[in-house]
Amino acid sequence: MTEQPTFVVRPVNWHASRDKLDAVRRSVFIEEQNVPEALEWDDMDERSYHVLAFDGDGAPIGTGRLLLDGHIGRMAVLKAWRRRGVGSAILRALLELAQKEGHETVKLNAQKHALAFYKKHGFKAFGSEFMEAGIAHRAMKISIDPLPGRAPQYED
């Protein structure tokens, strides 16, 4: 029986973890999906919650962010780690952050090929298909029960 590689997902601070966040997003979006670099980086990064997935050796393998308005975005998992539960763990961590922040609805723009992944987690598509960075997307949303509480703690 083959043992699944272990990983962990943690909230991180943008400034302290920028290089790690950059490495994952650059690999997935810019290099693999040919998203123009100018479209990948925006001023929302500094004002968003971020999570990083790390492999057993502490190398970054996936990421995602939650905007202050409850939108999830920039979810990316390195190719070698896909279909191993990393994306699901990142999504759960972001939904927990949204819940702690008191959001009742979380939205995201899903790449067309990822619609089934998000549907599996309870998201529902709405609106028409649209293009973003040359990739077909659909808007999706999920309702959650907000849990007012403390803001998440970040590691430095």
Side-chain angles (χ1 to χ4, degrees):
M1 184 173 187
T2 307
E3 194 174 311
Q4 284 286 344
T6 58
F7 63 89
V8 62
V9 177
R10 294 191 302 258
V12 296
N13 176 279
W14 168 253
H15 294 288
S17 301
R18 185 177 185 153
D19 291 345
K20 293 176 178 119
L21 294 160
D22 178 281
V24 173
R25 286 169 49 180
R26 181 172 300 281
S27 176
V28 173
F29 297 126
I30 297 170
E31 295 170 10
E32 185 182 331
Q33 297 183 348
N34 297 310
V35 170
E37 189 161 355
L39 296 179
E40 178 54 30
W41 314 113
D42 61 28
D43 63 350
M44 300 306 289
D45 279 319
E46 289 188 32
R47 297 177 290 182
S48 298
Y49 296 109
H50 296 268
V51 298
L52 264 172
F54 298 92
D55 68 12
D57 295 324
I61 58 171
T63 188
R65 75 179 185 185
L66 174 69
L67 301 178
L68 298 181
D69 68 359
H71 276 77
I72 287 176
R74 303 304 200 267
M75 282 205 35
V77 175
L78 296 180
K79 196 175 222 173
W81 281 89
R82 291 183 195 149
R83 302 194 184 283
R84 295 183 178 190
V86 177
S88 293
I90 290 169
L91 184 59
R92 279 192 303 275
L94 292 168
L95 287 171
E96 286 174 15
L97 287 170
Q99 195 172 38
K100 287 177 184 176
E101 289 300 307
H103 294 288
E104 295 179 11
T105 303
V106 175
K107 295 179 182 177
L108 56 81
N109 293 335
Q111 292 183 3
K112 191 174 176 180
H113 72 85
L115 287 171
F117 168 79
Y118 292 110
K119 284 180 182 177
K120 177 178 83 173
H121 290 283
F123 281 81
K124 297 192 182 338
F126 67 95
S128 301
E129 185 175 299
F130 61 94
M131 297 299 285
E132 188 173 286
I135 302 168
H137 284 71
R138 287 281 308 274
M140 301 187 85
K141 64 183 172 181
I142 189 172
S143 295
I144 59 173
D145 293 326
L147 292 176
R150 248 169 49 118
Q153 299 299 302
Y154 294 98
E155 70 175 35
D156 292 319

